[in-house]
Amino acid sequence: DGGITQSPKYLFRKEGQNVTLSCEQNLNHDAMYWYRQDPGQGLRLIYYSQIVNDFQKGDIAEGYSVSREKKESFPLTVTSAQKNPTAFYLCASSPGTSGRNTGELFFGEGSRLTVL
Amino acid sequence: QKEVEQNSGPLSVPEGAIASLNCTYSDRVSQSFFWYRQYSGKSPELIMSIYSNGDKEDGRFTAQLNKASQYVSLLIRDSQPSDSATYLCAVQSWGYNKLIFGAGTRLAVHP
């Protein structure tokens, strides 16, 4: 079954700790994305990657870091520099890196991070 | 700053009625338009895409695009309680390989 797997589903973190959210896809998609969703708000782009070993900052990259060492994997690290990290984090992929099908996103189930 | 605006709702419609969800966008060079459905606590799923002016129908869903008015809408015919969700409008501009999402409209279909 093709899809995107995010883990963990729920995560609690103390202030000052870094945490890494996993995202793995077996759809053979080139492009991968990380979004953050806060209650009552739309999705905001954190980072995206269109090819292995390359990634770009999105609109709210401060306090986050990513890597793309393999096509299938795009982990997100929420660092202690992120001032308000409590949110729902969504990983997505798309089949294309340009043109129309970059907007056809497939999402994982999400990771809900709570800072205590 | 590119913006996508949606009425947050909730939009409440009776079962069997037509639900009309609206979205406006600010960037005139926007090329591709998408509707995602998100159930509470779940991740979004793509339900419609539209690229040209006019209507596009898929089952009970119809997307409508008017680029001159910078307006895109989603009609859901014969609404069912299972359609109760938040509907996110997303817009992509030419040469800009990222989507801009609206905050979503919450739809409630009551029996």
Side-chain angles (χ1 to χ4, degrees):
Chain A
D1 237 272
I4 300 179
T5 301
Q6 287 187 242
S7 63
K9 212 169 178 179
Y10 299 95
L11 184 61
F12 298 89
R13 185 195 95 174
K14 292 182 181 178
E15 282 194 26
Q17 287 181 333
N18 293 354
V19 293
T20 297
L21 307 180
S22 169
C23 178
E24 303 278 332
Q25 56 104 354
N26 60 5
L27 300 167
N28 199 33
H29 287 172
D30 288 310
M32 296 187 74
Y33 307 80
W34 274 105
Y35 287 91
R36 168 181 172 144
Q37 188 174 36
D38 294 283
Q41 297 191 32
L43 278 62
R44 292 185 290 167
L45 183 64
I46 304 172
Y47 269 98
Y48 65 105
S49 168
Q50 295 179 301
I51 196 169
V52 174
N53 292 323
D54 189 43
F55 48 83
Q56 284 78 43
K57 291 182 179 180
D59 301 314
I60 55 166
E62 186 175 348
Y64 300 98
S65 66
V66 293
S67 63
R68 186 89 187 274
E69 297 176 1
K70 299 186 298 181
K71 185 175 182 177
E72 303 79 20
S73 179
F74 191 41
L76 173 74
T77 297
V78 184
T79 75
S80 56
Q82 169 49 233
K83 298 301 179 194
N84 186 19
T86 294
F88 187 43
Y89 290 89
L90 289 157
C91 179
S93 69
S94 68
T97 56
S98 63
R100 291 177 171 181
N101 56 7
T102 57
E104 297 172 4
L105 300 181
F106 294 77
F107 285 89
E109 291 191 340
S111 293
R112 199 168 296 277
L113 172 63
T114 302
V115 173
L116 304 173
Chain B
Q1 176 74 9
K2 300 176 175 64
E3 291 184 346
V4 177
E5 300 287 341
Q6 296 182 255
N7 188 321
S8 62
L11 173 65
S12 183
V13 300
E15 184 173 356
I18 296 175
S20 178
L21 305 161
N22 304 316
C23 173
T24 59
Y25 58 94
S26 62
D27 187 0
R28 287 195 167 273
V29 298
S30 296
Q31 293 288 320
S32 305
F33 307 86
F34 305 87
W35 284 99
Y36 285 82
R37 178 177 62 200
Q38 186 176 25
Y39 291 112
S40 181
K42 303 296 185 184
S43 59
E45 58 177 325
L46 179 66
I47 54 172
M48 288 287 285
S49 58
I50 186 166
Y51 306 105
S52 305
N53 278 330
D55 294 0
K56 178 182 177 183
E57 188 174 317
D58 183 2
R60 295 186 296 113
F61 298 100
T62 298
Q64 299 176 316
L65 175 61
N66 184 327
K67 288 188 178 181
S69 300
Q70 295 176 237
Y71 179 93
V72 58
S73 65
L74 179 70
L75 301 179
I76 306 175
R77 289 182 301 282
D78 187 25
S79 295
Q80 301 297 310
S82 59
D83 294 325
S84 299
T86 296
Y87 290 81
L88 302 170
C89 173
V91 174
Q92 180 185 33
S93 298
W94 179 257
Y96 189 68
N97 292 327
K98 298 185 285 184
L99 285 184
I100 306 297
F101 281 87
T105 297
R106 190 157 62 89
L107 173 65
V109 181
H110 54 86

